[in-house]
Amino acid sequence: MDTTKMLLCTYVSQVLVVRIFGGIRLEHVLRKICDRWDNLCIGSFSLSYVLDGSDCKLDNEESFDNMLYLYPTTDRIHAKVEEIKSCSGRTVGSISSGGTLGSISSRVEVGSSSGAVTVIEREEPLEEFCRHAETRFLTAGVEKARGEIFGDYESSFDKLRWYVEAAKIANPGSLLKLEVDPVSKEFSRLFVSFNACITGFNHCRPFLCLDGTHLKGRFKGCLLAATGKDADQENDCNWLWFLRILKTILSTRPITFISDRNHGLVSNIPAVFPDCHHAYCLYHLQFNLKDHFPGRFRQGYRNRLVKLFNAIAYAPSVSAYMICEAEFYEHGGDKAKTFIASVPKQHWTNAYFQGHRYGEMSSSAIESFNNWILAARLMPIMNLVEELRSKIMIQMSCRREEASRWVSQIYPDMDAKLAKRIDKGRSWRVYKSKTGLYEVKSVPAVLVNLEEGTCSCGAWQYNGFLCAHAATVLVKTCGAEGSLAGYIDPFYHVEAYRLTYQDNIHPVLAMDIPDFTEGSTRVIKAPKNRRQAGRPCVKRIRSRGEEQSSARPMKCARCHKLSHHNRRTCKEATDD
């Protein structure tokens, strides 16, 4: 049973949230109060809570235990901090209101009844320079509680000027670009890419998912992200700015981008990356199709159209495309033709797409990233950036350690897929036409060209990974499964995976951060934010055409979220 309680200590108009769990005592609470408000010291204030309309003092450990006993099931207890006007007989070394860099005395003078003063040296004066804030959790929907947890939202924008320089020093080669409105001095945009990610992407497939996710903090905003694959404020101007900077850190190799057809990307990707390719997310196109056939059409009929539409997208050749398209038109009629005409086929079908997307038909990687950073979207901007840096640093470290234990030449998951494909083709017969060209007698029969790296089924050239037909040819003609790695794209090799995560992101230490609490001295101001009427929306707004699930949500044993999946079907990103 979780016995954690939240003690909400109110002083003047501010609130401090202290977690009470395990063997935490009253002394711990008093020290947290002193750390939060520099003008208070133990003995200079009183702490009390209300019981049956009366104030109950928390002045010793017994009274603290009594409070916990009286509130066995309550997870929040409200307490009041009141400063004692006269604190005779006791003076404490000065702690300036400057906070982290304030002048802190290492001596405490305690008065006695005889009038003598005893000077006690602090055991660890250096600890005062590195105060560790207590770990606290979000209180959903309460901005005041978020401010107590993460700090002031407005001053966080001004802290960025310190953070950008500190991050560059800690991580040489990183690109952090801060843009401020030259007239109003308000925050405009921030681009962040750490050197370890820049160099690591050179060993990943040249494939990037692009998307934006809305931030949920006080000043809203939008986080634009580009996510690669290893082994309203999201306007055209912001995407153009983002893509131009992104181009400076990418190598000259052609990149395949995939997105949800955001207008800012459709118009700006060809302008900034004329030699690259832009694929449309099939998952989003399915919702667009369902929206094109509104509610008066039966759900079964719409699902049938989606299935036929997927067949068009996956068709490996122009002839196969024409057959699938004709069947789609037969079921969908003129509305189906209108929809196909509205989406250029060179951006979403295998038959006409000129780039290389390695079998990725949807932008699932960026959706996984957005879920991964869900809690961080509520934070002030500097905390948001630091939380993302920390999460990526941990993930890269874990994957680097994991890859060091692998002994296979191919990424383990792909190695397992290859074994299944070899086993699938053991009953097929292989006939040689000429050097490098083979016919595989499967159902249907296919043609494999080892020299060109193609198979008439389309899977080898589209995925960059051996299909069952090609793997069967190599096994039965070469006689050794170990020689298959040379026919597999290098991005699937373990060595490429290790190179992706060989560099590490260094922490950005906040011990020497200046004081940004004084509003009159701020250089970067918070952007103007017109808050909409009503209660802020915290749930994801579903895409048009996306059905509302009627099933009751359950808690997944893997990601521990209330959702409509279980451990076996979970696709949520985790830190593991």
Side-chain angles (χ1 to χ4, degrees):
M1 181 182 294
D2 185 6
T3 58
T4 301
K5 299 180 184 298
M6 309 299 286
L7 184 64
L8 282 66
C9 304
T10 304
Y11 176 59
V12 190
S13 60
Q14 298 179 327
V15 178
L16 168 67
V17 183
V18 181
R19 292 177 61 233
I20 307 299
F21 61 94
I24 287 184
R25 312 301 299 156
L26 175 62
E27 180 184 4
H28 171 82
V29 177
L30 299 179
R31 289 187 180 276
K32 288 297 178 184
I33 293 174
C34 295
D35 289 341
R36 175 61 179 85
W37 292 289
D38 290 341
N39 61 308
L40 298 180
C41 61
I42 295 179
S44 69
F45 64 91
S46 64
L47 185 64
S48 62
Y49 66 99
V50 177
L51 178 65
D52 295 333
S54 302
D55 289 342
C56 296
K57 297 289 185 182
L58 291 172
D59 49 10
N60 53 50
E61 298 295 345
E62 183 180 358
S63 62
F64 185 71
D65 290 337
N66 290 339
M67 178 190 70
L68 298 180
Y69 178 78
L70 291 169
Y71 293 94
T73 59
T74 305
D75 58 352
R76 297 182 185 181
I77 304 175
H78 294 267
K80 182 169 57 175
V81 179
E82 291 183 305
E83 189 174 1
I84 300 175
K85 300 302 181 182
S86 176
C87 189
S88 60
R90 178 175 297 185
T91 58
V92 179
S94 63
I95 302 181
S96 73
S97 59
T100 308
L101 296 181
S103 173
I104 303 176
S105 172
S106 62
R107 300 170 12 131
V108 178
E109 301 177 356
V110 182
S112 64
S113 58
S114 61
V117 177
T118 303
V119 179
I120 304 175
E121 294 289 338
R122 294 187 188 272
E123 293 182 1
E124 294 291 343
L126 284 176
E127 291 184 0
E128 296 292 348
F129 291 92
C130 187
R131 297 185 180 182
H132 296 87
E134 180 182 1
T135 302
R136 305 182 179 98
F137 297 96
L138 287 174
T139 302
V142 183
E143 186 177 306
K144 177 183 270 189
R146 292 177 189 158
E148 284 297 322
I149 296 171
F150 303 119
D152 180 57
Y153 277 79
E154 290 193 38
S155 64
S156 184
F157 290 96
D158 200 27
K159 292 177 182 177
L160 286 175
R161 55 190 170 102
W162 167 84
Y163 185 86
V164 165
E165 296 305 319
K168 288 180 180 178
I169 294 173
N171 297 271
S174 300
L175 178 60
L176 289 90
K177 185 175 180 62
L178 175 62
E179 191 171 286
V180 180
D181 188 284
V183 178
S184 64
K185 304 301 180 184
E186 295 175 359
F187 168 82
S188 181
R189 296 174 286 213
L190 174 68
F191 185 97
V192 178
S193 184
F194 290 99
N195 183 62
C197 299
I198 297 173
T199 58
F201 181 69
N202 293 328
H203 305 285
C204 292
R205 288 170 273 175
F207 177 88
L208 281 176
C209 299
L210 299 176
D211 194 17
T213 181
H214 291 282
L215 304 180
K216 304 298 183 180
R218 176 180 173 186
F219 293 96
K220 306 304 178 185
C222 190
L223 176 67
L224 308 183
T227 305
K229 296 277 288 188
D230 51 23
D232 318 296
Q233 293 176 348
E234 185 186 336
N235 55 38
D236 291 10
C237 182
N238 285 334
W239 271 121
L240 179 61
W241 180 83
F242 178 86
L243 292 173
R244 284 175 174 172
I245 300 179
L246 181 65
K247 187 176 183 179
T248 64
I249 62 176
L250 295 178
S251 60
T252 56
R253 57 180 179 163
I255 303 290
T256 294
F257 297 97
I258 187 167
S259 74
D260 60 356
R261 280 204 304 165
N262 177 276
H263 183 269
L265 291 172
V266 171
S267 58
N268 288 317
I269 286 181
V272 181
F273 296 93
D275 298 327
C276 296
H277 306 278
H278 186 190
Y280 296 160
C281 175
L282 182 60
Y283 184 68
H284 287 85
L285 287 177
Q286 292 172 1
F287 292 144
N288 298 151
L289 175 62
K290 288 184 177 182
D291 183 61
H292 193 70
F293 288 83
R296 66 175 181 270
F297 293 92
R298 290 180 290 110
Q299 188 62 39
Y301 174 73
R302 297 165 75 193
N303 290 339
R304 173 63 178 168
L305 288 178
V306 168
K307 186 175 181 180
L308 295 173
F309 180 74
N310 287 347
I312 298 175
Y314 281 97
S317 63
V318 174
S319 57
Y321 171 90
M322 299 300 293
I323 294 173
C324 295
E325 185 184 54
E327 187 177 1
F328 181 68
Y329 289 164
E330 182 182 349
H331 286 76
D334 291 339
K335 288 184 70 65
K337 294 180 180 179
T338 303
F339 180 78
I340 292 292
S342 67
V343 189
K345 54 189 174 184
Q346 67 269 22
H347 290 292
W348 62 280
T349 64
N350 281 335
Y352 290 94
F353 188 72
Q354 298 298 311
H356 201 168
R357 54 185 173 188
Y358 299 90
E360 300 289 341
M361 300 295 286
S362 66
S363 56
S364 57
I366 198 70
E367 298 295 341
S368 178
F369 174 79
N370 291 341
N371 286 329
W372 191 48
I373 65 168
L374 199 60
R377 292 160 59 190
L378 294 162
M379 299 178 180
I381 186 166
M382 197 196 82
N383 301 72
L384 165 66
V385 177
E386 177 61 9
E387 176 69 8
L388 296 184
R389 182 208 60 79
S390 179
K391 290 177 74 70
I392 297 173
M393 177 187 71
I394 295 170
Q395 184 187 69
M396 293 186 71
S397 177
C398 292
R399 292 184 175 180
R400 183 164 53 248
E401 294 176 3
E402 182 183 19
S404 66
R405 298 189 293 268
W406 295 341
V407 295
S408 59
Q409 192 174 355
I410 306 298
Y411 179 72
D413 287 352
M414 302 306 296
D415 201 26
K417 286 185 178 181
L418 181 60
K420 290 182 179 179
R421 293 178 182 183
I422 293 174
D423 187 64
K424 181 179 180 180
R426 293 195 184 278
S427 61
W428 297 341
R429 289 171 295 168
V430 176
Y431 298 103
K432 184 177 180 179
S433 172
K434 63 177 183 177
T435 302
L437 188 64
Y438 297 86
E439 179 185 11
V440 179
K441 288 292 185 179
S442 59
V443 181
V446 298
L447 204 63
V448 174
N449 191 321
L450 296 181
E451 293 182 352
E452 296 181 1
T454 62
C455 176
S456 58
C457 75
W460 188 6
Q461 53 267 39
Y462 291 138
N463 298 335
F465 192 81
L466 288 173
C467 62
H469 308 106
T472 300
V473 168
L474 289 169
V475 169
K476 293 190 175 183
T477 58
C478 300
E481 297 182 7
S483 63
L484 303 187
Y487 291 89
I488 297 174
D489 197 296
F491 298 114
Y492 292 105
H493 290 198
V494 168
E495 183 60 27
Y497 189 95
R498 289 172 178 163
L499 291 173
T500 300
Y501 299 106
Q502 67 178 344
D503 295 327
N504 57 291
I505 298 177
H506 295 276
V508 180
L509 301 180
M511 292 174 58
D512 298 328
I513 183 171
D515 179 25
F516 291 90
T517 57
E518 184 58 46
S520 60
T521 62
R522 290 177 187 161
V523 176
I524 302 176
K525 300 178 182 178
K528 289 184 175 64
N529 176 47
R530 184 177 179 182
R531 189 163 188 170
Q532 296 179 346
R535 188 173 182 177
C537 177
V538 295
K539 293 185 178 180
R540 183 178 75 88
I541 300 176
R542 294 179 179 268
S543 302
R544 295 181 64 181
E546 185 175 0
E547 288 87 9
Q548 302 284 341
S549 176
S550 58
R552 182 178 179 181
M554 56 185 173
K555 187 174 183 180
C556 173
R558 177 175 174 270
C559 66
H560 306 293
K561 294 180 181 179
L562 284 176
S563 57
H564 299 283
H565 65 262
N566 54 27
R567 175 188 286 274
R568 183 177 61 82
T569 59
C570 180
K571 296 181 180 179
E572 295 289 335
T574 64
D575 292 331
D576 298 336

